[in-house]
Each structure stands twice: as C-alpha cells, then as structure tokens.
Amino acid sequence: MIKLYGHELSGNSYKVRLLLELLGVPYEWVRVDLMQGEHKSSPFLALNPFGQVPVLDDGDNTLSDAQAILLYLAARQGDGQWFPIGPLEQARVVRWLSTAAGEVRQGPESARLHHLFGVKAIPIERAQEKAAFILDQLERHLSDRDWLELDRPTIADIAVFPYVALSGGGGIDLAPYPYVRAWIGRIQALPGYVPMTGLEAAAETQP
C-alpha cells in the first residue's frame, strides 16, 4: 500500500492526500511531526534529503515534492482524467503546477507561514503583493471557465487550490474574488473531497 508522509497543517501534504482520495487510491497516512523537527531527523532525511513533506512511498518508488507526486499519481492512473494525454494540454496543466510552486508559494503560502506559524523571516508586505497578483490573475482566468484548464478538474486545480483556499490564514481576504471563491466551492463539491484543517471556514464563505 502507498504511504504518504505529511503533516495535517501542510497544504502541500494535503493536496496529495486530496488527489489520493479523489482517485479512490488506498494509502496509509504517516504523520511527520514538523513542530518537533521530525522532518530533519535521520530516518526522514533518508526518505527526502531536502527535509520536506510530503513524501510518497509507493513500494520501489519514493517521491518528494507535492507537484511531482501529483503528476506521478495522475499519470499512473493512465486514463487522462486528471493529467491529459495531449502534449499541448499537458503543457497547460504543468504551467499551473509551476504557478503553485512559484507565485502561489511566494504569495498566499508565504503569508500563511508568516501569520500562522510566525516565520518572521518572510517579508509579509512582499508576500501580500505576490498574493494580490496571483489572485487577480486567477480571478480573471476563472471569469469565463469552471476549471483552470480543460473542461474538467485536473491536477492543475489540485495543485493551486489549497494555499489559495487557505489565504485567510495569511491575512488575505478572498471577498473581492467571487470567481475564485466559486472555484473553491466547485472543488469542495467534488465526489471524494476531504477537508483540511483551516478550510472549513473557507467553505462557509462560498456564494
């Protein structure tokens, strides 16, 4: 059985758990105590020398990095539902994986780390500027479509979703972004959806 190493407050751990649930793939959740520094321990560093969650153990294959794991799981399924088969469609989806690791990380994710976890090394004004930029981009992009790419949810949506939906934890108000909030609601309505700590409040704000 697949093992997923992560932490319940990690949006990157959550996005992998969410995809596993949506795919209906059985897995074992292995909690890594980030607050006690377990991710920097020798046993965990043997799994991921970068000392980060999530880590996926799929028998002979051990993978780290949330976006890479999403791609692996979706491609492993093989039917093109969550990761398309055509090269142009693949490129469009991968673009959003890069956005999740770039603008979303620099904006909403960093603001949440600053406010919720007290990471004062993060320049909060810069994180707020980055958050406003990516939320404005998402709002425009979602104004005439239900999903980030194609006519169905893909790993593009799963990659971007958690930290955008958790923006409130970084002091960022989603009220000015009705299309983003509607998109959040569509993801939360997917069959197999499981919530994450901190997302319950976001669900209550959907139009």
Side-chain angles (χ1 to χ4, degrees), residues 61-79:
N61 301 313
T62 302
L63 299 171
S64 57
D65 182 82
Q67 279 61 245
I69 296 171
L70 292 180
L71 183 55
Y72 169 77
L73 289 172
R76 179 177 179 265
Q77 185 190 25
D79 63 1

Side-chain angles (χ1 to χ4, degrees), residues 31-107:
R31 184 178 188 269
V32 179
D33 194 337
L34 301 182
M35 308 311 172
Q36 296 299 319
E38 187 179 355
H39 57 306
K40 302 300 183 183
S41 67
S42 295
F44 186 80
L45 291 174
L47 294 172
N48 180 11
F50 283 77
Q52 299 169 340
V53 293
V55 170
L56 188 85
D57 181 353
D58 188 14
D60 294 334
N61 301 313
T62 302
L63 299 171
S64 57
D65 182 82
Q67 279 61 245
I69 296 171
L70 292 180
L71 183 55
Y72 169 77
L73 289 172
R76 179 177 179 265
Q77 185 190 25
D79 63 1
Q81 177 182 355
W82 290 93
F83 185 60
I85 296 171
L88 179 59
E89 291 79 9
Q90 287 181 347
R92 287 174 173 164
V93 168
V94 170
R95 170 208 175 193
W96 290 104
L97 302 188
S98 297
T99 300
E103 288 83 355
V104 174
R105 180 176 180 83
Q106 297 160 10

Side-chain angles (χ1 to χ4, degrees), residues 1-164:
M1 180 181 292
I2 286 175
K3 290 183 179 179
L4 175 60
Y5 295 80
H7 190 275
E8 64 274 10
L9 294 180
S10 162
N12 284 311
S13 298
Y14 168 68
K15 66 179 69 171
V16 176
R17 183 167 70 93
L18 176 58
L19 182 60
L20 285 166
E21 294 283 353
L22 294 171
L23 291 173
V25 175
Y27 66 97
E28 177 186 350
W29 171 257
V30 182
R31 184 178 188 269
V32 179
D33 194 337
L34 301 182
M35 308 311 172
Q36 296 299 319
E38 187 179 355
H39 57 306
K40 302 300 183 183
S41 67
S42 295
F44 186 80
L45 291 174
L47 294 172
N48 180 11
F50 283 77
Q52 299 169 340
V53 293
V55 170
L56 188 85
D57 181 353
D58 188 14
D60 294 334
N61 301 313
T62 302
L63 299 171
S64 57
D65 182 82
Q67 279 61 245
I69 296 171
L70 292 180
L71 183 55
Y72 169 77
L73 289 172
R76 179 177 179 265
Q77 185 190 25
D79 63 1
Q81 177 182 355
W82 290 93
F83 185 60
I85 296 171
L88 179 59
E89 291 79 9
Q90 287 181 347
R92 287 174 173 164
V93 168
V94 170
R95 170 208 175 193
W96 290 104
L97 302 188
S98 297
T99 300
E103 288 83 355
V104 174
R105 180 176 180 83
Q106 297 160 10
E109 182 179 348
S110 291
R112 180 172 178 263
L113 285 171
H114 176 92
H115 282 286
L116 194 60
F117 298 103
V119 182
K120 301 305 181 185
I122 292 173
I124 187 58
E125 294 83 5
R126 181 64 171 160
Q128 290 169 337
E129 290 174 3
K130 289 283 189 178
F133 172 80
I134 189 56
L135 288 171
D136 286 342
Q137 294 294 321
L138 284 169
E139 182 72 4
R140 283 194 289 270
H141 186 73
L142 290 164
S143 65
D144 61 354
R145 68 190 74 206
D146 287 341
W147 307 102
L148 292 182
E149 292 298 338
L150 311 182
D151 57 354
R152 64 183 187 274
T154 67
I155 55 172
D157 301 280
I158 305 305
V160 174
F161 166 69
Y163 286 112
V164 169

